[in-house]
Amino acid sequence: MSSVDLAGTFEGVRDAKGVRLTLTTAPGQAGGTLTVRNWPTGDYYRAELGETFDGSGTWEIDRPTTSDASPLLRLHFDKPRDMLRGDTVDLLAIAVDSDRAVIYENDDPDTCPSFRLDLKKP
């Protein structure tokens, strides 16, 4: 999988309904820029930003060190403000096959992920 496989707009389903994440790439880079709409705000910033926020930043793929681990999508937000790791959903598991790409919060691998975004086909 390459960063090109993830370029595009992901739309939320289930608990992520109404959430949108757009990932763009640049030639020769292993990641790129991101924009979000209605992204969930972490507890620390909820009083300042509300339940969700619109923002931007960068992204990269964390490659697994073992063969049984999946790659992860790491998000770095710089607008509306720099957020520390864990202040919001900023690490998502990646699932890509020949038909689709899905990213999801994998906080409990024994249950179906409730925060999931599907790549929309053009």
Side-chain angles (χ1 to χ4, degrees), residues 22-96:
T22 302
L23 302 177
T24 60
T25 60
Q29 291 186 348
T33 61
L34 69 87
T35 56
V36 296
R37 296 205 28 95
N38 298 318
W39 199 258
T41 305
D43 293 339
Y44 188 78
Y45 294 106
R46 193 162 285 135
E48 178 184 346
L49 299 174
E51 292 291 318
T52 64
F53 67 94
D54 297 344
S56 61
T58 60
W59 64 276
E60 63 187 334
I61 298 172
D62 278 357
R63 307 255 179 227
T65 56
T66 62
S67 62
D68 62 339
S70 298
L72 299 172
L73 176 65
R74 184 170 302 282
L75 309 177
H76 306 278
F77 293 99
D78 53 24
K79 290 184 181 173
R81 65 178 306 138
D82 287 331
M83 292 191 180
L84 298 174
R85 188 177 291 178
D87 284 342
T88 184
V89 177
D90 58 7
L91 189 63
L92 299 162
I94 302 168
V96 176

